[in-house]
Amino acid sequence: AGAHSSPWVLGSCTCSGNGKWDCEQHACLIDGEMIDAVNRGNYGWRAANYSHFWGMTLDEGIRYRLGTIKPPPVVMHMNELMDTNEQLPSHFNAADKWPGLVLEPLDQGNCAGSWAFSTAAVASDRISIHSMGHMTPALSPQNLISCDTRNQQGCSGGRIDRAWWYLRRRGVVTDSCYPFTSREKDSASAGRPCMMQSRSTGRGKRQATQRCPNPQTHSNEIYQSTPAYRLSSSEKEIMKELMENGPVQAIMEVHEDFFVYKSGVYRHTPVMAGKPEHHRRHGTHSVKITGWGEVRTPQGQTQKYWVAANSWGKHWGEGGYFRIARGANECEIETFVVGVWGRVSMEDMRRRK
């Protein structure tokens, strides 16, 4: 994106595309000095000036572009699957192993619903992979945002453990049946009642009790998952699970410089350390890890990384994906990682042959 735009007004303040305010009580989400500092430094990644973030404050970026609430301690400390000593390849991409079965990055807009988007994305991939391509649903984040309301906050944030509980007990329909309509922060999920409830129709199959909100789609079948399981925080265990069973979901802390990530292997930088505190913000996000790899740095060292799908659209990062340092718990991305299996019966498999 370019560096200039008409200013956006907040009270007595204006914010333009170069990240400058004419007053000091707010920090822009896009900060030209931060972008320049990252690109001048030797940090291993490049920053970009994204026009779709122009006019937003950093606080608004944290409030509207993330949206995952950390699970309570009892969930954060649930039993982990044990580590492995298995030899694993230096590079892996789930979309290469399972072509056509891994969803492309989604776009949550200004709905703080990463909890629903990452859950729907991982569940979609796992059902497609587990059914060996007989079922390839792109599940509906909106179904979770509008209907998974018990102790959840829709487009104001939610917990992934509650989302997986809902997928196991209730299930969700496809995105084509129940499309995303809460793209802007002002529309949120307030005033958008749940339009889909599920019921069993025998033989383990569930269908929604209502027709699809999208009248062009007639299949209101409900998809469910097994209970989610937590992986060890060891990179080898996460890699083994990813290679054998498909993409996994991870919680991470997003800092102010992550919003301007364009390419390379991300690590949180100290470029804003000398600025006032309101220029340094972070919040909790959830993403889908789809692969890993490594690169040689100019200093001759090996930099290992994860490949992850964000939910900020394909115009952000590396086509909607980002790479982040692996094996160092960068931004806490290895602290809480979960997998799940889609609930797929032999009847499902036969019915779709």
Side-chain angles (χ1 to χ4, degrees):
H4 301 285
S5 77
S6 58
W8 179 86
V9 179
L10 177 69
S12 60
C13 302
T14 57
C15 182
S16 60
N18 63 3
K20 294 292 186 184
W21 284 92
D22 66 2
C23 59
E24 292 300 319
Q25 63 261 45
H26 296 284
C28 283
L29 185 58
I30 294 295
D31 186 308
E33 292 180 8
M34 177 173 65
I35 293 169
D36 291 342
V38 170
N39 291 336
R40 282 196 310 267
N42 184 27
Y43 297 113
W45 61 278
R46 302 288 294 173
N49 188 328
Y50 291 111
S51 59
H52 57 277
F53 287 155
W54 288 354
M56 293 183 72
T57 66
L58 175 55
D59 283 343
E60 286 178 319
I62 297 294
R63 191 183 318 146
Y64 298 126
R65 283 279 170 167
L66 308 181
T68 294
I69 299 168
K70 282 185 179 177
V74 67
V75 176
M76 290 293 287
H77 298 117
M78 64 192 279
N79 291 339
E80 304 174 351
L81 294 187
M82 297 307 293
D83 194 9
T84 177
N85 293 317
E86 187 175 329
Q87 284 295 108
L88 297 164
S90 60
H91 291 76
F92 176 78
N93 184 344
D96 292 339
K97 179 173 182 179
W98 296 288
L101 303 185
V102 176
L103 280 183
E104 291 289 301
L106 304 175
D107 189 351
Q108 68 187 74
N110 286 327
C111 165
S114 65
W115 66 273
F117 277 79
S118 59
T119 299
V122 170
S124 300
D125 294 352
R126 288 297 186 106
I127 290 171
S128 297
I129 291 166
H130 191 192
S131 69
M132 295 177 287
H134 290 286
M135 302 161 68
T136 55
L139 297 182
S140 168
Q142 188 69 54
N143 196 165
L144 284 168
I145 288 165
S146 295
C147 304
D148 178 17
T149 55
R150 185 178 178 186
N151 298 320
Q152 301 280 62
Q153 299 170 29
C155 278
S156 297
R159 282 169 36 186
I160 63 172
D161 56 307
R162 295 294 311 174
W164 287 118
W165 180 92
Y166 190 89
L167 257 167
R168 177 169 65 93
R169 296 296 299 271
R170 304 279 187 237
V172 300
V173 295
T174 63
D175 186 65
S176 60
C177 172
Y178 202 159
F180 182 49
T181 54
S182 299
R183 188 168 301 278
E184 290 306 315
K185 55 184 178 288
D186 294 333
S187 67
S189 56
R192 293 185 179 274
C194 177
M195 300 178 73
M196 307 299 283
Q197 298 291 350
S198 68
R199 64 180 173 86
S200 175
T201 58
R203 293 186 179 182
K205 183 182 177 184
R206 299 177 76 90
Q207 284 184 309
T209 54
Q210 295 104 324
R211 294 180 179 177
C212 294
N214 177 11
Q216 275 73 51
T217 301
H218 301 294
S219 174
N220 63 350
E221 184 169 350
I222 292 282
Y223 294 84
Q224 295 173 276
S225 74
T226 63
Y229 49 90
R230 183 187 174 196
L231 305 177
S232 160
S233 296
S234 157
E235 61 174 308
K236 287 285 183 67
E237 178 57 46
I238 299 168
M239 292 161 71
K240 183 173 184 287
E241 171 71 18
L242 175 52
M243 188 170 72
E244 292 182 352
N245 298 325
V248 295
Q249 183 182 42
I251 290 177
M252 67 177 288
E253 286 299 297
V254 164
H255 297 267
E256 65 283 342
D257 58 353
F258 185 72
F259 289 97
V260 298
Y261 169 88
K262 178 60 179 174
S263 62
V265 180
Y266 174 79
R267 284 179 179 269
H268 175 44
T269 69
V271 298
M272 303 302 282
K275 291 270 191 171
E277 187 178 344
H278 65 271
H279 289 267
R280 302 188 305 277
R281 290 277 189 268
H282 66 92
T284 309
H285 194 42
S286 51
V287 298
K288 178 178 76 171
I289 299 178
T290 62
W292 69 80
E294 56 187 47
V295 293
R296 297 289 281 180
T297 68
Q299 293 76 32
Q301 298 172 319
T302 298
Q303 173 65 71
K304 301 181 297 182
Y305 61 80
W306 298 111
V307 180
N310 200 355
S311 48
W312 293 348
K314 295 181 183 180
H315 44 265
W316 179 90
E318 298 180 329
Y321 292 90
F322 65 98
R323 287 177 288 163
I324 185 170
R326 166 168 59 96
N329 200 24
E330 179 66 33
C331 297
E332 301 181 34
I333 198 166
E334 291 149 12
T335 296
F336 191 78
V337 180
V338 299
V340 73
W341 277 111
R343 191 175 294 174
V344 180
S345 67
M346 292 307 297
E347 176 67 22
D348 288 323
M349 304 278 275
R350 284 193 294 269
R351 192 153 38 88
R352 288 172 170 80
K353 280 186 178 179

